[in-house]
Amino acid sequence: MPNFSILKSPATGTAITRKGGRLVVPDNPIIPYIEGDGTGPDIWRASVRVFDAAVDKAFGGKKTIAWFEVPAGEKAKEQHGEWLPNDTLEAVRADKVAIKGPLTTPVGGGIRSLNVTLRQVAGIEWARGTPQAERVIEFLASEMGKRIRPDSGIGIKPMSEFGSKRLMRMAVQYAVDNKRKTVTLVHKGNIMKFTEGAFRDWGYELAKAEFRDKIVTEDEVTAGASREGKILVNDRIADSVFQQILTRTADYDVFATPNLNGDYLSDAAAAQVGGLGMAPGANIGDDIGFFEATHGTAPKYAGKDVINPGSVILSGVMMFRYLGWGEAADLVETGLEKTIAQKKVTYDLARQMEGATELKTSQFADAVIGNM
Ligand code: NAP
């Protein structure tokens, strides 16, 4: 039980734990959530109704979620004087699974992105003219014989065998668990051989070492091996994959890729299914699963009850699957699919469909629940 200074643990609910690396999910897990800024509250109000309805319908009252609001972003700054109180990080660490709405990134305020902090990903960068940048430039010139213009900003791109293999292990395991057909390593290894190229090589190594009976590589298939019952592991250069997902969409399934490629690719792929309002996200590490929409706060629509809650709702589907609550995940997916098939959609999808009925955020949630 964390020692909070501003938060109070919920009166009901039990923390999720880990035993021997596996998640142990009680019937009434505490799940911390961050409502988010801008359109976050509209989206959360709609999404949480969908989640609760799905759990109720799937498990007939045997399971319930003890939602635990934890502060971050503008609301936290207003109420607690801090953008990201330490208690929030403590709650997420203690409860192992959390879900968040979008958070504003204050521009130029000297504070690190809350989203990045919450995902615990740290970029290594120094601004032009700082002593650190000058020192690296001087080191590269004197020790490594590499000349860099003195007015350069510096970023370091480390790529480790440990991190690459961990990512690939998660990707292949995800494909196994979710009965996917292909895992594609996406990289820029033709140019960045010792980072992105090494990522590709380590990815293949891991797949062959740890999933030998479940996978077959593209080279092996070319040499005559059968794909039958196996997950195909292949690789593509990042630029080519952007046209491949448009021209040969059905050939791809799971991508394993470093952060920046994935950032671009996920928004491009979201456009193929209607836009950012339909693109869920998950940050899954060895200990914690942290689920979030891929879009931002879309501030011009804040408080208007019009924004598409689909991304957060689908992030919840990923969360349910992570918890092992597939029955609830299936119900939400069915509800969403039927609602969209009936052309009952929010403004963003309505403008791309003929004969659509445009619904408010809250009405869309009602329709999804009705269609479960
Ligand atoms: P954004 O909030 O993602 O919005 C850009 C556009 O994408 C919107 O104007 C809207 O397009 C569409 N869109 C986004 N979410 C949608 C949804 N749920 N339903 C339907 N359409 C949606 O990006 P931004 O305006 O660049 O960023 C605003 C703030 O969010 C910034 O402070 C940024 O740093 C932050 N941000 C946070 C996260 C995060 O929390 N993970 C991610 C990205 C950005 P139309 O106007 O064409 O309908």
Side-chain angles (χ1 to χ4, degrees):
M1 180 74 66
N3 214 352
F4 291 130
S5 49
I6 53 172
L7 290 178
K8 252 171 100 181
S9 292
T12 58
T14 312
I16 293 168
T17 53
R18 274 193 187 276
K19 210 171 182 182
R22 293 199 75 81
L23 212 57
V24 181
V25 183
D27 282 345
N28 58 344
I30 299 173
I31 299 194
Y33 71 93
I34 294 165
E35 197 178 57
D37 299 326
T39 47
D42 279 351
I43 292 176
W44 181 255
R45 266 192 298 277
S47 305
V48 75
R49 285 200 289 119
V50 171
F51 300 151
D52 285 340
V55 171
D56 194 46
K57 196 170 166 103
F59 305 113
K62 198 174 159 287
K63 296 183 197 280
T64 47
I65 295 176
W67 296 108
F68 179 21
E69 183 169 11
V70 293
E74 287 166 356
K75 201 167 165 185
K77 178 80 178 141
E78 246 166 58
Q79 293 178 356
H80 305 287
E82 291 178 86
W83 291 96
L84 185 60
N86 193 48
D87 277 9
T88 294
L89 293 174
E90 283 299 315
V92 173
R93 271 189 210 115
D95 293 315
K96 310 268 181 250
V97 175
I99 184 163
K100 71 175 269 291
L103 294 172
T104 307
T105 306
V107 178
I111 88 157
R112 212 166 138 221
S113 161
L114 301 182
N115 299 306
V116 171
T117 306
L118 281 162
R119 290 178 211 135
Q120 300 285 299
V121 178
I124 306 175
E125 279 202 318
W126 296 286
R128 177 191 73 161
T130 54
Q132 293 93 333
E134 282 173 6
R135 220 170 138 194
V136 175
I137 291 169
E138 157 58 24
F139 170 78
L140 289 174
S142 62
E143 303 286 326
M144 313 296 275
K146 297 280 180 200
R147 299 229 155 267
I148 292 184
R149 287 182 205 282
D151 59 349
S152 300
I154 298 285
I156 304 265
K157 180 189 172 99
M159 188 75 77
S160 71
E161 181 176 351
F162 175 84
S164 301
K165 287 189 169 173
R166 181 172 62 178
L167 188 151
M168 187 60 175
R169 184 177 298 117
M170 291 258 181
V172 182
Q173 190 61 52
Y174 181 88
V176 171
D177 293 345
N178 292 280
K179 302 190 173 40
R180 300 303 188 109
K181 292 189 294 260
T182 310
V183 176
T184 304
L185 289 149
V186 177
H187 59 89
K188 193 67 186 156
N190 54 330
I191 306 296
M192 290 175 267
K193 295 192 191 322
F194 305 123
T195 50
E196 302 252 340
F199 168 81
R200 174 202 53 211
D201 296 345
W202 289 322
Y204 277 121
E205 257 177 56
L206 181 285
K208 287 183 198 165
E210 297 189 14
F211 296 92
R212 188 59 277 187
D213 58 329
K214 297 198 166 60
I215 65 111
V216 62
T217 66
E218 200 163 58
D219 283 352
E220 290 164 348
V221 172
T222 308
S226 164
R227 273 193 70 167
E228 197 59 34
K230 298 277 169 80
I231 294 165
L232 178 72
V233 174
N234 56 11
D235 76 279
R236 296 287 180 270
I237 290 176
D239 25 330
S240 85
V241 100
F242 277 87
Q243 60 92 23
Q244 291 270 299
I245 60 168
L246 295 172
T247 54
R248 306 182 61 162
T249 313
D251 288 357
Y252 298 97
D253 205 347
V254 175
F255 287 140
T257 184
N259 190 301
L260 187 62
N261 300 332
D263 227 2
Y264 298 148
L265 202 47
S266 58
D267 273 24
Q272 283 179 259
V273 293
L276 287 180
M278 294 305 295
N283 309 282
I284 297 176
D286 289 334
D287 192 30
I288 292 168
F290 195 82
F291 299 81
E292 63 173 334
T294 52
H295 58 70
T297 58
K300 65 184 170 185
Y301 302 114
K304 296 199 162 100
D305 194 25
V306 297
I307 200 79
N308 186 350
S311 301
V312 169
I313 292 176
L314 286 168
S315 303
V317 168
M318 294 180 89
M319 183 183 78
F320 284 146
R321 296 208 189 285
Y322 183 73
L323 295 175
W325 291 13
E327 300 91 328
D330 290 346
L331 280 174
V332 178
E333 267 176 0
T334 305
L336 260 179
E337 274 170 19
K338 279 199 201 161
T339 308
I340 294 170
Q342 292 162 352
K343 298 192 174 185
K344 293 181 187 163
V345 288
T346 45
Y347 81 92
D348 53 320
L349 298 186
R351 70 188 168 192
Q352 302 176 58
M353 282 178 179
E354 257 177 53
T357 308
E358 188 175 321
L359 299 183
K360 289 187 164 296
T361 313
S362 50
Q363 294 171 324
F364 183 72
D366 293 337
V368 172
I369 294 168
N371 275 324
M372 278 177 190

